Amino acid sequence: MTPRQFASYGYISLAWGLSFLVILKAVAAFGEVGTTVLRCFTAAGALLLFARATGRRLDFRGGVFPYVVIGATTVAGQLLGLNYAAPRVGTAMSAIIVATIPLFSMAISRAVGFETLSAARLAGLALGVAGVVLLVGFPEAAPTPDFLIGCAVCAGACLCAASGNVFAATRMRGVGAFETTIGGFFAGGLICAPLLLLQPFPAGPRAVDFVWIVILGAAMSAATYALYFRLVAEIGPTRAVTVEFVVTAVAVLVGALWLGE
């Protein structure tokens, strides 16, 4: 990777790793659905304003469908699942399951013929799956039904993220990172908004609660996904998605050292 790509990789790792801590605070104030909707529209709006302020021309080519797919998978499916799982299984355990995103991405890329898997990659895939199973399957305390459901939902969210990553790499090569991020998050917000009928916003959020949303939306979504989708286009989805391994390390440290998990 070039120095610029390495810097992007490092920022994404730190921002996404720390995002689990912010998610806990935002979900407590706005609920799983409300946090996702506000995060999506904040991310899309922040990046759109930045593009306008810097004179960047946006070209949303390819029609609506690709952005709906990204919005449904990488955005809505992933974020809703993580918002649901993090308070139930903990930051560290959620982060460990997030490490399956590169594994799912490798398997999906191979299944659709986008990339081939060498013997070394197959061995790494098997080792990664075994490691996640060992860490999740043998928690310190006896697993409760709520814990098991949370783990399953988190794994589903990771599958959504991996599917969206491969789709972006194969079907959106000619689309810029800004356009992919803005369109994906706007579509994700629209997809999740009707769910507010089932889980409305809780009453009485404080001013600081909206600060968490701005941090999630602008610093931990708009900036990171714009950088991430550019990395996907430049170095490929399999190499780019390995950032999730570093995200797991950061989030586990946050859970252990800051939250006492």
mmCIF file of all heavy atoms in Angstrom, residues 76-105:
data_model
loop_
_atom_site.group_PDB
_atom_site.id
_atom_site.type_symbol
_atom_site.label_atom_id
_atom_site.label_comp_id
_atom_site.label_asym_id
_atom_site.label_seq_id
_atom_site.Cartn_x
_atom_site.Cartn_y
_atom_site.Cartn_z
ATOM 1 N N ALA A 76 -27.716 -0.672 6.006
ATOM 2 C CA ALA A 76 -28.842 -1.036 6.879
ATOM 3 C C ALA A 76 -28.637 -2.379 7.556
ATOM 4 O O ALA A 76 -28.765 -2.503 8.782
ATOM 5 C CB ALA A 76 -30.139 -1.038 6.064
ATOM 6 N N GLY A 77 -28.328 -3.415 6.792
ATOM 7 C CA GLY A 77 -28.175 -4.741 7.379
ATOM 8 C C GLY A 77 -27.072 -4.800 8.408
ATOM 9 O O GLY A 77 -27.237 -5.363 9.496
ATOM 10 N N GLN A 78 -25.923 -4.202 8.063
ATOM 11 C CA GLN A 78 -24.798 -4.240 8.998
ATOM 12 C C GLN A 78 -25.053 -3.394 10.242
ATOM 13 O O GLN A 78 -24.868 -3.869 11.378
ATOM 14 C CB GLN A 78 -23.525 -3.750 8.312
ATOM 15 C CG GLN A 78 -22.328 -3.729 9.245
ATOM 16 C CD GLN A 78 -21.069 -3.190 8.605
ATOM 17 O OE1 GLN A 78 -19.965 -3.397 9.103
ATOM 18 N NE2 GLN A 78 -21.200 -2.479 7.495
ATOM 19 N N LEU A 79 -25.476 -2.148 10.052
ATOM 20 C CA LEU A 79 -25.597 -1.242 11.192
ATOM 21 C C LEU A 79 -26.732 -1.642 12.127
ATOM 22 O O LEU A 79 -26.588 -1.564 13.357
ATOM 23 C CB LEU A 79 -25.785 0.197 10.706
ATOM 24 C CG LEU A 79 -24.638 0.774 9.871
ATOM 25 C CD1 LEU A 79 -24.896 2.242 9.566
ATOM 26 C CD2 LEU A 79 -23.299 0.598 10.561
ATOM 27 N N LEU A 80 -27.863 -2.053 11.580
ATOM 28 C CA LEU A 80 -28.957 -2.514 12.441
ATOM 29 C C LEU A 80 -28.519 -3.709 13.276
ATOM 30 O O LEU A 80 -28.808 -3.791 14.472
ATOM 31 C CB LEU A 80 -30.177 -2.884 11.599
ATOM 32 C CG LEU A 80 -31.120 -1.765 11.172
ATOM 33 C CD1 LEU A 80 -32.203 -2.325 10.259
ATOM 34 C CD2 LEU A 80 -31.754 -1.084 12.389
ATOM 35 N N GLY A 81 -27.835 -4.645 12.629
ATOM 36 C CA GLY A 81 -27.378 -5.834 13.354
ATOM 37 C C GLY A 81 -26.386 -5.504 14.446
ATOM 38 O O GLY A 81 -26.480 -6.026 15.567
ATOM 39 N N LEU A 82 -25.420 -4.632 14.154
ATOM 40 C CA LEU A 82 -24.430 -4.263 15.169
ATOM 41 C C LEU A 82 -25.072 -3.470 16.305
ATOM 42 O O LEU A 82 -24.709 -3.653 17.480
ATOM 43 C CB LEU A 82 -23.308 -3.450 14.528
ATOM 44 C CG LEU A 82 -22.410 -4.193 13.536
ATOM 45 C CD1 LEU A 82 -21.342 -3.265 12.987
ATOM 46 C CD2 LEU A 82 -21.769 -5.418 14.183
ATOM 47 N N ASN A 83 -26.020 -2.596 15.965
ATOM 48 C CA ASN A 83 -26.710 -1.840 17.010
ATOM 49 C C ASN A 83 -27.491 -2.759 17.939
ATOM 50 O O ASN A 83 -27.589 -2.508 19.150
ATOM 51 C CB ASN A 83 -27.668 -0.826 16.382
ATOM 52 C CG ASN A 83 -26.947 0.332 15.723
ATOM 53 O OD1 ASN A 83 -25.737 0.505 15.893
ATOM 54 N ND2 ASN A 83 -27.673 1.114 14.956
ATOM 55 N N TYR A 84 -28.077 -3.812 17.375
ATOM 56 C CA TYR A 84 -28.828 -4.766 18.189
ATOM 57 C C TYR A 84 -27.886 -5.615 19.038
ATOM 58 O O TYR A 84 -28.156 -5.883 20.211
ATOM 59 C CB TYR A 84 -29.663 -5.670 17.280
ATOM 60 C CG TYR A 84 -30.459 -6.725 18.030
ATOM 61 C CD1 TYR A 84 -31.745 -6.450 18.501
ATOM 62 C CD2 TYR A 84 -29.930 -7.990 18.284
ATOM 63 C CE1 TYR A 84 -32.473 -7.404 19.197
ATOM 64 C CE2 TYR A 84 -30.644 -8.949 18.980
ATOM 65 C CZ TYR A 84 -31.917 -8.653 19.428
ATOM 66 O OH TYR A 84 -32.625 -9.602 20.128
ATOM 67 N N ALA A 85 -26.780 -6.050 18.444
ATOM 68 C CA ALA A 85 -25.914 -7.016 19.118
ATOM 69 C C ALA A 85 -25.040 -6.403 20.203
ATOM 70 O O ALA A 85 -24.849 -7.002 21.272
ATOM 71 C CB ALA A 85 -25.033 -7.719 18.084
ATOM 72 N N ALA A 86 -24.478 -5.215 19.941
ATOM 73 C CA ALA A 86 -23.473 -4.660 20.858
ATOM 74 C C ALA A 86 -23.958 -4.560 22.305
ATOM 75 O O ALA A 86 -23.228 -4.954 23.227
ATOM 76 C CB ALA A 86 -22.998 -3.305 20.346
ATOM 77 N N PRO A 87 -25.169 -4.036 22.587
ATOM 78 C CA PRO A 87 -25.590 -3.970 23.990
ATOM 79 C C PRO A 87 -25.862 -5.345 24.608
ATOM 80 O O PRO A 87 -25.873 -5.464 25.835
ATOM 81 C CB PRO A 87 -26.898 -3.147 23.928
ATOM 82 C CG PRO A 87 -26.868 -2.458 22.608
ATOM 83 C CD PRO A 87 -26.156 -3.391 21.693
ATOM 84 N N ARG A 88 -26.089 -6.361 23.784
ATOM 85 C CA ARG A 88 -26.476 -7.672 24.298
ATOM 86 C C ARG A 88 -25.296 -8.633 24.477
ATOM 87 O O ARG A 88 -25.318 -9.486 25.370
ATOM 88 C CB ARG A 88 -27.522 -8.301 23.362
ATOM 89 C CG ARG A 88 -28.868 -7.581 23.424
ATOM 90 C CD ARG A 88 -29.787 -7.967 22.283
ATOM 91 N NE ARG A 88 -31.115 -7.368 22.461
ATOM 92 C CZ ARG A 88 -31.402 -6.112 22.165
ATOM 93 N NH1 ARG A 88 -30.468 -5.308 21.671
ATOM 94 N NH2 ARG A 88 -32.621 -5.635 22.355
ATOM 95 N N VAL A 89 -24.297 -8.520 23.631
ATOM 96 C CA VAL A 89 -23.167 -9.446 23.737
ATOM 97 C C VAL A 89 -21.883 -8.738 24.154
ATOM 98 O O VAL A 89 -20.879 -9.401 24.436
ATOM 99 C CB VAL A 89 -22.947 -10.203 22.410
ATOM 100 C CG1 VAL A 89 -24.222 -10.887 21.974
ATOM 101 C CG2 VAL A 89 -22.441 -9.285 21.310
ATOM 102 N N GLY A 90 -21.902 -7.410 24.195
ATOM 103 C CA GLY A 90 -20.725 -6.664 24.614
ATOM 104 C C GLY A 90 -19.892 -6.189 23.441
ATOM 105 O O GLY A 90 -19.940 -6.752 22.343
ATOM 106 N N THR A 91 -19.132 -5.149 23.686
ATOM 107 C CA THR A 91 -18.287 -4.580 22.647
ATOM 108 C C THR A 91 -17.239 -5.564 22.150
ATOM 109 O O THR A 91 -17.046 -5.748 20.950
ATOM 110 C CB THR A 91 -17.594 -3.314 23.194
ATOM 111 O OG1 THR A 91 -18.586 -2.324 23.480
ATOM 112 C CG2 THR A 91 -16.607 -2.754 22.189
ATOM 113 N N ALA A 92 -16.546 -6.212 23.079
ATOM 114 C CA ALA A 92 -15.462 -7.114 22.696
ATOM 115 C C ALA A 92 -15.977 -8.292 21.888
ATOM 116 O O ALA A 92 -15.406 -8.651 20.856
ATOM 117 C CB ALA A 92 -14.733 -7.597 23.950
ATOM 118 N N MET A 93 -17.070 -8.907 22.338
ATOM 119 C CA MET A 93 -17.583 -10.070 21.622
ATOM 120 C C MET A 93 -18.130 -9.666 20.255
ATOM 121 O O MET A 93 -17.950 -10.390 19.264
ATOM 122 C CB MET A 93 -18.670 -10.755 22.441
ATOM 123 C CG MET A 93 -19.100 -12.106 21.891
ATOM 124 S SD MET A 93 -17.747 -13.315 21.864
ATOM 125 C CE MET A 93 -17.588 -13.687 23.626
ATOM 126 N N SER A 94 -18.800 -8.519 20.175
ATOM 127 C CA SER A 94 -19.278 -8.031 18.878
ATOM 128 C C SER A 94 -18.102 -7.834 17.925
ATOM 129 O O SER A 94 -18.175 -8.189 16.741
ATOM 130 C CB SER A 94 -20.029 -6.715 19.041
ATOM 131 O OG SER A 94 -21.190 -6.866 19.823
ATOM 132 N N ALA A 95 -17.023 -7.267 18.450
ATOM 133 C CA ALA A 95 -15.853 -7.010 17.614
ATOM 134 C C ALA A 95 -15.213 -8.302 17.134
ATOM 135 O O ALA A 95 -14.707 -8.379 16.008
ATOM 136 C CB ALA A 95 -14.837 -6.177 18.390
ATOM 137 N N ILE A 96 -15.214 -9.322 17.980
ATOM 138 C CA ILE A 96 -14.655 -10.612 17.569
ATOM 139 C C ILE A 96 -15.460 -11.203 16.419
ATOM 140 O O ILE A 96 -14.909 -11.711 15.436
ATOM 141 C CB ILE A 96 -14.617 -11.580 18.769
ATOM 142 C CG1 ILE A 96 -13.564 -11.122 19.775
ATOM 143 C CG2 ILE A 96 -14.326 -13.014 18.310
ATOM 144 C CD1 ILE A 96 -13.629 -11.830 21.108
ATOM 145 N N ILE A 97 -16.775 -11.097 16.508
ATOM 146 C CA ILE A 97 -17.613 -11.610 15.425
ATOM 147 C C ILE A 97 -17.426 -10.786 14.160
ATOM 148 O O ILE A 97 -17.496 -11.314 13.042
ATOM 149 C CB ILE A 97 -19.090 -11.627 15.861
ATOM 150 C CG1 ILE A 97 -19.267 -12.537 17.084
ATOM 151 C CG2 ILE A 97 -19.997 -12.122 14.737
ATOM 152 C CD1 ILE A 97 -20.664 -12.509 17.682
ATOM 153 N N VAL A 98 -17.170 -9.487 14.302
ATOM 154 C CA VAL A 98 -16.924 -8.624 13.147
ATOM 155 C C VAL A 98 -15.722 -9.116 12.338
ATOM 156 O O VAL A 98 -15.638 -8.873 11.123
ATOM 157 C CB VAL A 98 -16.732 -7.166 13.607
ATOM 158 C CG1 VAL A 98 -16.043 -6.321 12.551
ATOM 159 C CG2 VAL A 98 -18.092 -6.550 13.955
ATOM 160 N N ALA A 99 -14.820 -9.836 12.995
ATOM 161 C CA ALA A 99 -13.673 -10.386 12.275
ATOM 162 C C ALA A 99 -14.081 -11.397 11.213
ATOM 163 O O ALA A 99 -13.249 -11.793 10.378
ATOM 164 C CB ALA A 99 -12.698 -11.036 13.262
ATOM 165 N N THR A 100 -15.353 -11.829 11.218
ATOM 166 C CA THR A 100 -15.801 -12.747 10.170
ATOM 167 C C THR A 100 -16.079 -12.023 8.856
ATOM 168 O O THR A 100 -16.252 -12.686 7.827
ATOM 169 C CB THR A 100 -17.080 -13.491 10.599
ATOM 170 O OG1 THR A 100 -18.143 -12.534 10.833
ATOM 171 C CG2 THR A 100 -16.850 -14.302 11.859
ATOM 172 N N ILE A 101 -16.140 -10.697 8.850
ATOM 173 C CA ILE A 101 -16.428 -9.975 7.609
ATOM 174 C C ILE A 101 -15.390 -10.293 6.529
ATOM 175 O O ILE A 101 -15.764 -10.624 5.388
ATOM 176 C CB ILE A 101 -16.526 -8.457 7.853
ATOM 177 C CG1 ILE A 101 -17.746 -8.141 8.725
ATOM 178 C CG2 ILE A 101 -16.631 -7.702 6.526
ATOM 179 C CD1 ILE A 101 -17.905 -6.663 9.047
ATOM 180 N N PRO A 102 -14.074 -10.230 6.828
ATOM 181 C CA PRO A 102 -13.115 -10.615 5.786
ATOM 182 C C PRO A 102 -13.269 -12.073 5.360
ATOM 183 O O PRO A 102 -13.059 -12.401 4.183
ATOM 184 C CB PRO A 102 -11.747 -10.379 6.450
ATOM 185 C CG PRO A 102 -12.017 -9.404 7.537
ATOM 186 C CD PRO A 102 -13.392 -9.714 8.025
ATOM 187 N N LEU A 103 -13.628 -12.943 6.294
ATOM 188 C CA LEU A 103 -13.791 -14.353 5.957
ATOM 189 C C LEU A 103 -14.974 -14.551 5.029
ATOM 190 O O LEU A 103 -14.894 -15.271 4.031
ATOM 191 C CB LEU A 103 -13.960 -15.179 7.236
ATOM 192 C CG LEU A 103 -12.916 -14.939 8.340
ATOM 193 C CD1 LEU A 103 -13.198 -15.814 9.557
ATOM 194 C CD2 LEU A 103 -11.517 -15.209 7.805
ATOM 195 N N PHE A 104 -16.103 -13.906 5.352
ATOM 196 C CA PHE A 104 -17.264 -13.960 4.468
ATOM 197 C C PHE A 104 -16.932 -13.348 3.107
ATOM 198 O O PHE A 104 -17.352 -13.861 2.059
ATOM 199 C CB PHE A 104 -18.444 -13.198 5.090
ATOM 200 C CG PHE A 104 -19.163 -13.937 6.181
ATOM 201 C CD1 PHE A 104 -19.511 -13.296 7.363
ATOM 202 C CD2 PHE A 104 -19.525 -15.270 6.031
ATOM 203 C CE1 PHE A 104 -20.197 -13.958 8.363
ATOM 204 C CE2 PHE A 104 -20.204 -15.940 7.035
ATOM 205 C CZ PHE A 104 -20.544 -15.288 8.206
ATOM 206 N N SER A 105 -16.196 -12.249 3.123
ATOM 207 C CA SER A 105 -15.858 -11.571 1.879
ATOM 208 C C SER A 105 -15.028 -12.462 0.975
ATOM 209 O O SER A 105 -15.262 -12.530 -0.244
ATOM 210 C CB SER A 105 -15.107 -10.272 2.185
ATOM 211 O OG SER A 105 -14.813 -9.562 1.002
#
